[in-house]
Amino acid sequence: MTVTASGLQYDFQQALKYGEKVRIRYFSISGGSAIYDDDGVLTQTGTDTWTSGLVQPVAPTRSSQDSVLLAQGKILQNDLKMFVDGAVDTSGLWRVGVGSANPPAREYSLLPEGIIAHGINGSIVYKTCYIRYLSNGSMFGE
């Protein structure tokens, strides 16, 4: 049996049928300085993308990547990781809403560790995104 990128992509898309609805909102950052990040301005760019994602808790006992990031202090125990199709555009991604309502019930921000693409033979099959819950919900004016 030969493993192909298209076969793995098909299998992953079948698994995504059991995922949650995810809204991906894109932003660009302007202004700011090299030292402080509080004077930067986020501007929404493009349109929202709705897709399916598998949202899982961080699992340091089952994932070496999670345990390394936890040990380095780059992610927290209550952060989540989300798996999305490799074809989903993740450049400019900053906000992720999870839930089928509009607006989604839960809002998350992408962590600086960001996105890890997993592929075979040069084709991206899926991406892992580390996300953190935004306790204030949405941004002002949204």
Side-chain angles (χ1 to χ4, degrees), residues 1-136:
M1 178 177 185
T2 304
V3 177
T4 63
S6 61
L8 288 174
Q9 288 168 337
Y10 175 80
D11 291 344
F12 188 75
Q13 289 168 356
Q14 295 305 307
L16 282 176
K17 290 180 179 179
Y18 301 100
E20 295 186 67
K21 290 291 181 194
V22 175
R23 181 196 68 201
I24 296 177
R25 182 164 282 176
Y26 304 94
F27 290 86
S28 63
I29 300 174
S30 60
S33 66
I35 300 172
Y36 302 105
D37 62 354
D38 60 348
D39 51 348
V41 176
L42 287 174
T43 305
Q44 185 175 348
T45 58
T47 58
D48 294 344
T49 299
W50 285 90
T51 188
S52 182
L54 299 171
V55 180
Q56 300 289 315
V58 170
T61 57
R62 289 180 278 161
S63 168
S64 61
Q65 181 70 29
D66 293 355
S67 60
V68 168
L69 292 172
L70 272 167
Q72 292 173 342
K74 294 183 177 182
I75 62 173
L76 303 174
Q77 186 66 43
N78 57 351
D79 289 337
L80 299 174
K81 59 183 171 182
M82 177 182 68
F83 303 96
V84 294
D85 191 299
V88 172
D89 180 18
T90 52
S91 63
L93 171 61
W94 189 83
R95 287 264 310 277
V96 176
V98 176
S100 59
N102 192 9
R106 297 167 286 165
E107 295 282 347
Y108 297 86
S109 66
L110 182 69
L111 295 176
E113 288 57 50
I115 299 144
I116 302 167
H118 306 275
I120 182 172
N121 296 332
S123 296
I124 298 174
V125 176
Y126 69 96
K127 297 176 183 177
T128 304
C129 305
Y130 286 94
I131 56 176
R132 180 169 294 156
Y133 179 68
L134 289 170
S135 58
N136 61 345

